[in-house]
Amino acid sequence: MHRRVASLACVLGLLGSSLVAAPAAAATTGCVVSVPEPGTTTPVRICYSLFKPAGASASHTVPLIMHSHGWGGSRTKDPAAFKPWLDAGFGVLSFDQRSFGESTGVAHVMNPDYEGRDVIKLVDLVAGLDWVTKQQPGDPLLGAIGGSYGGGFQFAGAFTELRDSGRTRFDALAPEVTWWDLKESLAPDEAARTLWLASLYAGGGAHLPPSVSAAFVVLIATGAWPPGTAGRDLDAFFAKNGPAWHVAQGRKLDIPVLFGQGISDNLFNLNQGLANFERALTPQARKRSIFVGYNAGHALPSVVPPGWAVAGDPCSVQLGSSSFSGLALRFMSTKLLGTATSLSGYGAYHLSTADGRCLTQQTLVPNARYQLGKILTPTGAGLPLSVKVAAGPLTVAGVPRVDARVHTLLPDAGAFFALSVGTNPLTAKVVQNNTMPLREERVVQGERRSIELPAVAVDVPAGKNLYLTVSPVADMFAGQRGPLPGALLLKDATLSVHRTLSR
């Protein structure tokens, strides 16, 4: 799963070095033996490339950074890709995840019993290297980087160790554009993000278990979660594959984390990153962590309904780095090397607005409530409906929510919701290219619903308005309800959102 559209690698930025490095040596390569696939006794091979910085030795030890690739990719073998890290005095281990590259097995998509234990096997390997700093025997000084699927391994490894031994040996993480709840990302409210699922299937569907691969085809073809046994099997497959499951079991990470999340990412949206920041960490760890949201990631333009976002990462720049990868190097230098980097912004949200300004907030708790009254959603191929919320100037951020009593006349009713900005309803464009669905499979009369909208950060200037846009179709969910989605009637609708007190 990609950190940037059509990119399977985590792009590493450049910073000044803290060690004088000799030309990088070729990587040491190898494989560790990990847990077999279900129903087999053949161990799975997880292969890696190991990069040792100049000057590292048993008498001059260094911390190590683990790295891995996006969905469908493979490990980074070129030491030049890690030059900033090696120059700064870190070792690096990049590995092929289960079923990808030179590793064997089947992709379970970050199941703790498979990918989680693969990561632990690699940590055990690192713990045996005499040139890696140990905090105590078997406990290396360890960080991790990577985006999307390469962000998923970080949570899978840290949480699996926490589950199995009561603590993790990871000391800091820097995941980008990854998920909190995988099912919720791929099919929120069981409405499939068919455009992205088709891309993910093309890039790695053959690596999934056959039954899951077949279910993906159903998801793509129908746009809905499969009924019956197929749906239950898919639920079981995805049940443990993300921080949401671990937190539900009572686990939280007590280590600092630098989060990078795409606000215009319409696969693993900002909602997923905020859930990780707010729920996967202890309060103490959150105070030592930083959240950065940028207009990038798995970011496709929204055409239906029309949307917009100015691509870029102004907040990494505001925090003193030219890119998020540079920020990650400063973060790890602070946490693992003890380097005085003057890095600040801990415990706060740093979000790129739709127009490309960095907005910093200490909280995103909703503090404004707007009465919207009655809303009848469009049907069929009708134009989106945009309901005025408030006139500019104002700035809103975080996760908006619509609460209403919902009525339907027919089963299989649905619509897609988002905040938008424009001078009038016809010119309103969806903020940061994201929509979220509400599906009603059965006829309902006055059922209370709380609809989570895509999280945003947006300045509404004077002369423009903030709208709630409701659309019968959305291109990321192409085919989700077929050609004629049923209408929804929302009564006593209200919108709750965080409105900033100042720009």
Side-chain angles (χ1 to χ4, degrees), residues 21 129 151 173 185 206 217 249-250 297-298 303 328 442 447 503:
L129 300 173
L173 306 177
S185 294
V217 174
Q249 303 300 307
H298 313 80
V303 178
R442 301 174 179 82
E447 294 289 335
R503 289 182 55 127

Side-chain angles (χ1 to χ4, degrees), residues 330-349:
R330 289 179 65 205
F331 183 80
M332 292 297 175
S333 296
T334 301
K335 300 301 180 183
L336 304 186
L337 292 174
T339 304
T341 64
S342 70
L343 183 59
S344 61
Y346 291 100
Y349 305 86

Side-chain angles (χ1 to χ4, degrees), residues 280-307:
L281 306 182
T282 65
Q284 295 77 13
R286 195 157 49 249
K287 291 176 183 176
R288 297 178 284 132
S289 300
I290 301 174
F291 190 95
V292 174
Y294 39 65
N295 289 327
H298 313 80
L300 294 176
S302 178
V303 178
V304 182

Side-chain angles (χ1 to χ4, degrees), residues 8-147:
L8 297 170
C10 180
V11 180
L12 297 174
L14 301 177
L15 281 183
S17 64
S18 60
L19 291 180
V20 178
T28 301
T29 62
C31 304
V32 297
V33 172
S34 193
V35 295
E37 289 297 323
T40 74
T41 57
T42 304
V44 166
R45 185 177 69 244
I46 304 298
C47 298
Y48 62 87
S49 294
L50 181 64
F51 305 88
K52 180 179 177 180
S57 67
S59 60
H60 182 79
T61 61
V62 299
L64 187 130
I65 299 294
M66 288 184 65
H67 164 268
S68 196
H69 54 83
W71 177 257
S74 59
R75 74 185 190 265
T76 299
K77 299 180 180 181
D78 183 0
F82 297 112
K83 185 177 186 300
W85 294 90
L86 298 170
D87 287 354
F90 292 96
V92 179
L93 183 148
S94 183
F95 72 97
D96 290 327
Q97 303 206 48
R98 180 175 286 242
S99 189
F100 295 102
E102 297 172 17
S103 294
T104 59
V106 174
H108 297 267
V109 199
M110 299 307 157
N111 186 299
D113 296 325
Y114 298 99
E115 285 87 357
R117 290 200 170 137
D118 295 343
V119 175
I120 291 173
K121 293 288 186 180
L122 291 166
V123 176
D124 290 341
L125 169 77
V126 171
L129 300 173
D130 64 1
W131 54 268
V132 172
T133 302
K134 312 297 187 303
Q135 299 169 96
Q136 57 186 16
D139 184 5
L141 190 56
L142 186 64
I145 58 173

